Amino acid sequence: MKWVASIALSSLLALVLPLPCSAIPAEGEPPPDPHLNDPKPTRILVRVVAHGAMVLGREVGGARVTITDLETKQVLATGIQQGEAGDQNQIMRTPHLMEEPVYSARPAAAFTTTLELRKPTLVEITAEGPLAHPASRQQASQTVLLIPRHDLTNDGIVLHLYGYIVQIEHPKPGQALIAKDDVTLRASVRTLSGTLVRPHGDWDSRKINIYGEVLIGSRIVERLQMFYSGEGSSFEAPFFVPTAKDAPDGITLRVVVTDLSMGNSGIGIATNPVLTERVQPTARH
């Protein structure tokens, strides 16, 4: 009976105790991935915005975006950001947590491309705009490490452009001025995304320094404090035209806009010839 019990105990232990490693059948190795080194499609979204304002959309001509491989200097993608400026209430007035989308919560302009990446790639992303306003055009760039198949979407890579669009509306650039005339200098001021700068708005002109200058050559002969005209984004100030003798080559009008709290600045420039007297219309006989 002891012999029978011993056999039964041995059989039970064999069922309960794990077998030695050498007794476990080896599992087959997984087959190698034949596509491991193939390029992987990776979607990249870039959004160019006016610093402290909206997205650069079709109203201001959008922005040009270029993505360059820093190692090879090869341009991987380039194109124009077009679309809407975004929802002003969502962007300017709604509080956000750090991980919450700001610009993509509602339709807004963006540049989107799909790159074929074989390995982690360090790129430089450059933005230039607004394209419809060459005199106010600014540029910004950012280096980013892109990982194959790791799409960058939602807000994407956001590049901020600093500045203002400043356009002298009166007198028109090149318009002849009469010496000693009392003339009103008028200029419009907008953010780079095209939104209006005016008192009590989201872009409050009361917090921005806006002034004009009259120059003869490179010398400032008069500085003008400009005031809101009461319509649109127009600001104005009167000035007296210098004599033709003092300004034989005409004058330069310059409007400067600067907001130290945001770091935004802009400038508008126009040149105007100065005439001694008005040209009288020729009498008809």
Side-chain angles (χ1 to χ4, degrees), residues 30-112:
D33 182 355
H35 304 293
L36 195 61
N37 292 296
D38 289 354
K40 308 295 190 300
T42 308
R43 189 165 178 260
I44 307 299
L45 184 148
V46 180
R47 188 165 273 116
V48 186
V49 306
H51 180 63
M54 310 287 285
V55 182
L56 272 70
R58 62 173 60 92
E59 182 182 351
V60 294
R64 179 176 299 279
V65 176
T66 304
I67 303 176
T68 305
D69 185 325
L70 281 178
E71 181 181 1
T72 65
K73 308 305 179 186
Q74 178 186 358
V75 174
L76 303 180
T78 186
I80 306 299
Q81 167 177 289
Q82 282 285 17
E84 302 299 325
D87 183 85
Q88 186 168 328
N89 188 60
Q90 173 73 14
I91 294 172
M92 298 304 302
R93 306 188 188 110
T94 304
H96 303 90
L97 297 176
M98 183 178 295
E99 67 275 10
E100 285 184 311
V102 177
Y103 305 101
S104 57
R106 304 284 176 85
F111 170 75
T112 306

Side-chain angles (χ1 to χ4, degrees), residues 14 60 126 129 136 177:
V60 294
T126 302
S136 303
L177 304 178

Side-chain angles (χ1 to χ4, degrees), residues 51 162 164 207-209 257-265:
H51 180 63
Y162 288 71
Y164 291 106
K207 302 175 183 179
I208 301 172
N209 193 12
V257 181
T258 181
D259 179 0
L260 297 180
S261 65
M262 295 297 295
N264 284 322
S265 295

Side-chain angles (χ1 to χ4, degrees), residues 99-139:
E99 67 275 10
E100 285 184 311
V102 177
Y103 305 101
S104 57
R106 304 284 176 85
F111 170 75
T112 306
T113 186
T114 298
L115 304 178
E116 299 290 333
L117 300 179
R118 294 181 181 272
K119 62 177 183 177
T121 305
L122 187 65
V123 301
E124 180 180 57
I125 302 176
T126 302
E128 183 183 17
L131 297 180
H133 299 275
S136 303
R137 197 172 296 178
Q138 301 292 335
Q139 190 177 87

Side-chain angles (χ1 to χ4, degrees), residues 208-226:
I208 301 172
N209 193 12
I210 303 174
Y211 61 91
E213 292 175 331
V214 180
L215 297 90
I216 297 177
S218 59
R219 183 171 59 91
I220 300 170
V221 295
E222 188 175 4
R223 177 164 289 180
L224 315 168
Q225 183 61 49
M226 302 188 71

